[in-house]
Amino acid sequence: AQSVTQPDIHITVSEGASLELRCNYSYGATPYLFWYVQSPGQGLQLLLKYFSGDTLVQGIKGFEAEFKRSQSSFNLRKPSVHWSDAAEYFCAVGGTGGYNKLIFGAGTRLAVHP
Amino acid sequence: DAGVIQSPRHEVTEMGQEVTLRCKPISGHNSLFWYRQTMMRGLELLIYFNNNVPIDDSGMPEDRFSAKMPNASFSTLKIQPSEPRDSAVYFCASSWGHNEQFFGPGTRLTVL
């Protein structure tokens, strides 16, 4: 069955520190992979996506993610976190066939200390 | 583009009342999704439509929930009768093909 695992429920980092949010997926075919961010009281906003090609993808707000097929992972990174990055982050996987249904992870809540 | 539009943004109702949530997807998108988000269960897909046709409603909790998409620019999610456990944030999202889903701002529903 298709699934997405985000092992870390909460992460706290200091402003200016680097960040890595983990995402592992289970999918039987070539996946489409996404990272979304949700600020309090807001909807989900797309940070970046991977469909094919270069396994290191750049997104908005200085985020990047790397697709590693051998590890079934799609970890999100940022070299220097800003206080405004405090939010909840969701990893999602979709398929290349059929309709665009996404499977979301449970989310990782990021807190940023000044 | 105005993005996905949802109304109302907040709804407070009493148990047993009918609730109707509305969504206008992004023009040109052919898929529409309804999600529910709670602290306990996270983000759950309730139903999705493709070209106005319901494709998968396996996430709809029970018969009290129904969704329609009469045309490409409008969808409703109805709860009748509502119960306190239906309190949640309901999101609508739309997409085209296999591209990313664009989410609306959500409707925060409180059932007293």
Side-chain angles (χ1 to χ4, degrees), chain A residues 32 34 36 38 41-46 49 51 88 90 95-106 109, chain B residues 9 31 33 35 37 39 43 45 48 50 55-56 58 91 95-106 108:
Chain A
Y32 291 167
F34 306 83
Y36 285 83
Q38 184 180 28
Q42 305 293 316
L44 279 70
Q45 179 186 19
L46 182 72
K49 61 186 177 183
F51 283 2
E88 189 153 20
F90 294 91
T96 56
Y99 302 102
N100 187 23
K101 176 179 176 178
L102 297 183
I103 307 298
F104 283 87
R109 186 170 296 278
Chain B
R9 293 293 310 275
S31 294
F33 307 80
Y35 292 89
Q37 186 177 42
M39 290 293 292
L43 192 65
L45 176 65
Y48 75 96
N50 185 264
I55 301 301
D56 183 355
S58 60
F91 288 104
S95 70
W96 181 86
H98 290 292
N99 291 308
E100 65 268 24
Q101 295 180 17
F102 291 82
F103 282 74
R108 181 173 296 276

Side-chain angles (χ1 to χ4, degrees), chain A residues 69-111:
Chain A
R69 185 186 300 275
S70 61
Q71 299 177 19
S72 297
S73 69
F74 189 57
N75 294 349
L76 182 71
R77 300 195 294 253
K78 187 170 185 177
S80 177
V81 171
H82 188 263
W83 64 266
S84 60
D85 293 325
E88 189 153 20
Y89 292 80
F90 294 91
C91 180
V93 62
T96 56
Y99 302 102
N100 187 23
K101 176 179 176 178
L102 297 183
I103 307 298
F104 283 87
T108 297
R109 186 170 296 278
L110 174 67

